[in-house]
């Protein structure tokens, strides 16, 4: 059973930084894509960034390019999201997700709150 546990959220001022972590367990993740999504109050969940576990290929939504960096620790099976130059519009619950490459995200963490004050 795949488990994803996020941590690292919190309250930060605009322009600040946070690093989210996602501890992944339950299987080996070769052939999987792991990623980050977010959901702001009253809005739909949206894609933020993803990484193909086998080769580290990354993908980002346009609004976070140049500010957010997705990375991983293969040994610890941990996914990270380094968020710099945070803006109030980045405020959301951030979710870690995993799925087989090409088949969508099947597994989800419980989410961690990120609040950016202006």
């Amino acid at each position: 059973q795949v488990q994803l546990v996020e941590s690292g959220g919190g309250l930060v001022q605009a322009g600040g930084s946070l690093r989210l972590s996602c501890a992944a367990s339950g299987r080996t993740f070769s052939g999987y894509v792991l990623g980050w999504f977010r959901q702001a109050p009253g809005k739909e969940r949206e894609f933020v960034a993803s990484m193909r576990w086998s080769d580290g290929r990354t993908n980002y939504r346009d609004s976070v390019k140049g500010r957010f960096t997705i990375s991983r620790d293969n040994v610890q099976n941990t996914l990270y999201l380094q968020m710099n130059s945070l803006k109030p519009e980045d405020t959301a619950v951030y979710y870690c997700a995993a799925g087989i490459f090409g088949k969508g995200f099947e597994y989800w963490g419980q989410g961690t709150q990120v609040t950016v004050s202006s």
Side-chain angles (χ1 to χ4, degrees):
Q1 179 74 10
V2 172
Q3 285 194 313
L4 304 170
V5 180
E6 303 99 332
S7 61
L11 172 64
V12 65
Q13 288 189 329
S17 298
L18 282 174
R19 189 177 80 155
L20 305 183
S21 299
C22 172
S25 62
R27 62 161 298 119
T28 57
F29 291 96
S30 58
Y32 273 66
V33 176
L34 276 72
W36 292 96
F37 288 73
R38 66 187 182 188
Q39 187 167 21
K43 295 187 177 182
E44 293 188 353
R45 187 177 298 184
E46 64 183 21
F47 167 80
V48 176
S50 65
M51 175 177 282
R52 195 160 64 185
W53 207 253
S54 59
D55 61 7
R57 181 171 293 185
T58 60
N59 191 25
Y60 296 90
R61 72 177 298 107
D62 286 347
S63 64
V64 307
K65 286 180 181 177
R67 300 189 299 124
F68 291 10
T69 303
I70 191 171
S71 64
R72 64 180 173 178
D73 181 329
N74 273 339
V75 175
Q76 299 291 331
N77 263 6
T78 301
L79 184 74
Y80 300 101
L81 185 68
Q82 178 67 43
M83 306 185 293
N84 299 329
S85 302
L86 282 161
K87 304 175 181 180
E89 52 263 43
D90 294 317
T91 294
V93 177
Y94 282 70
Y95 297 91
C96 179
I100 295 172
F101 177 63
K103 294 189 178 294
F105 291 91
E106 179 180 3
Y107 303 100
W108 295 84
Q110 81 288 352
T112 185
Q113 177 71 47
V114 171
T115 303
V116 184
S117 63
S118 56

